[in-house]
Amino acid sequence: MSKANTKQVLQDFGSLADVRIGLSAEVRTHSVQALNRLLAHTMAIRDAYKKAHWQVSGATFHQLHLLFDQHYNEQVTIMDAIAERVQTLGGVTFALAQDVMEESTISRSAPRGRETAAAQLSGLLDAHETILIEARPLARAAADNGDDGTNDLIVSQVVRSNELHSWFIGEHLAAQTQAAK
């Protein structure tokens, strides 16, 4: 990084600003790390939804095109809520594609080409499951640490939305599988 860029950084990534919200720096650090992990996953699934939206084809094109776009927009809303919570806790959010690549375990190995609807749905279902498996213990840890705001965000927005999206995607995948028989 050039000296000019270094001087313009207001807060280093990984540091905490002094905010007065009744939580210790230790609790806030743990929550920021957990939320940034979920943010990276959410950014990854958001991108997977947009790819699916742009490249969907076949007999269920219209249904899936609309569903993928709706879920994309809902993931953007979740991203914004997570990022705002990180900032509220005094942290710095992930914001770049490089951050997502380094932090998220959601597969980003989809081909550049157009996949079948079943392959798209299967990949999205896997991504939702990754988020859900990681989100639940993070919500419990936040509650155990007294960070009710982070717990509420993870449960009410991350878990509930991803469960609903997973259900919708799973139902479409089952229909795709049934139609192929």
Side-chain angles (χ1 to χ4, degrees):
M1 183 180 291
S2 73
K3 287 184 181 181
N5 288 340
T6 306
K7 291 179 183 179
Q8 294 178 14
V9 172
L10 296 175
Q11 182 181 349
D12 289 327
F13 184 82
S15 68
L16 284 179
D18 186 26
V19 295
R20 296 178 59 182
I21 60 171
L23 294 171
S24 70
E26 181 182 350
V27 168
R28 291 185 297 118
T29 296
H30 183 18
S31 290
V32 165
Q33 290 170 346
L35 289 166
N36 266 327
R37 175 87 170 182
L38 291 176
L39 180 59
H41 289 331
T42 304
M43 292 167 78
I45 201 169
R46 172 213 52 195
D47 293 348
Y49 269 116
K50 190 50 83 173
K51 179 187 184 302
H53 170 78
W54 287 335
Q55 295 183 354
V56 69
S57 64
T60 58
F61 165 80
H62 190 256
Q63 286 176 284
L64 291 177
H65 185 73
L66 295 176
L67 180 70
F68 292 157
D69 200 40
Q70 177 185 345
H71 286 194
Y72 167 87
N73 288 322
E74 290 171 4
Q75 291 295 328
V76 168
T77 299
I78 294 167
M79 281 174 39
D80 194 50
I82 294 170
E84 288 176 355
R85 182 66 187 165
V86 168
Q87 298 297 120
T88 299
L89 293 166
V92 177
T93 60
F94 283 143
L96 302 172
Q98 176 183 337
D99 299 330
V100 176
M101 295 293 292
E102 291 174 3
E103 185 67 22
S104 181
T105 58
I106 290 177
S107 176
R108 306 212 15 123
S109 62
R112 285 185 175 171
R114 186 180 277 182
E115 297 173 274
T116 65
Q120 290 174 322
L121 292 164
S122 181
L124 290 165
L125 199 55
D126 290 345
H128 283 296
E129 188 170 35
T130 296
I131 292 170
L132 290 165
I133 287 170
E134 290 199 23
R136 289 184 183 105
L138 295 176
R140 282 189 291 276
D144 291 345
N145 289 333
D147 186 353
D148 298 325
T150 296
N151 170 269
D152 179 61
L153 169 67
I154 294 172
V155 171
S156 67
Q157 293 191 43
V158 177
V159 171
R160 288 189 183 142
S161 294
N162 280 280
E163 285 177 342
L164 187 63
H165 290 181
S166 184
W167 173 47
F168 281 28
I169 295 299
E171 289 297 313
H172 278 278
L173 184 57
Q176 292 279 325
T177 305
Q178 189 67 19
K181 289 181 181 181

